[in-house]
Amino acid sequence: MKVFVFFTFDVSLKVWSDKGLLERELCLYENYADCGHEIFLLTYGFTDDLLYYNYPNITVLPVYSRIPCSNFLFLRFLASFLIPLLFSSYLKSSDVIKTNQTWGAHVAIISKFLFNKPLLARSGYDFYQFFKEKSNNLFFRSLVFVYSSFTFKFADKVHVSTQREKDSILSLYNHATKSVSVVPNWID
């Protein structure tokens, strides 16, 4: 099986390494690779992401090795809509598309429809609830709500890390009832 993994928007292997998360986060994919699966990791890094990681059956695909990285978040977000076209050969050959977090799922959703692939949306934390607690801006909170809603609506399956997050999603997004499962975050 070939799995195409979309990193969280604007997150790279360098970011994971700097935060001390690299080994823990990649352990799951190493286990898949050891079982003979091929993994494509799309990161929001530069070519230096290739220096952070080398493992058999795992291919690192840094976005900013193919498109310029703007200093402006909004322009990077707009440019992300080109990603399915820039990495189409990998997406076409994949059997399943997976997100690492909700933020960034828009690219996976577009890819799902362009290449007719199933989408597994992983949410290690409730993006909307997190944003709601951090921001009083009703406009941005509404955007995050709609963004999360689309993610859960168009995913074929949703994995969340806790029962509380599952309950929250089911109460907020009626269309998500068929697809949400609790899969705890990896703990060594």
Side-chain angles (χ1 to χ4, degrees), residues 28 31 49-50 58 86 94 100 112 119 138 142 155 159 161:
L28 172 69
N31 287 336
D49 258 12
L50 299 170
I58 297 179
L86 296 170
S94 296
N100 195 57
K112 166 196 168 80
L119 172 60
L138 187 58
S142 298
H159 285 177
S161 58

Side-chain angles (χ1 to χ4, degrees), residues 44-61:
Y44 288 87
F46 298 89
T47 52
D48 65 343
D49 258 12
L50 299 170
L51 303 174
Y52 284 91
Y53 195 65
N54 184 15
Y55 200 86
N57 289 336
I58 297 179
T59 304
V60 176
L61 305 168

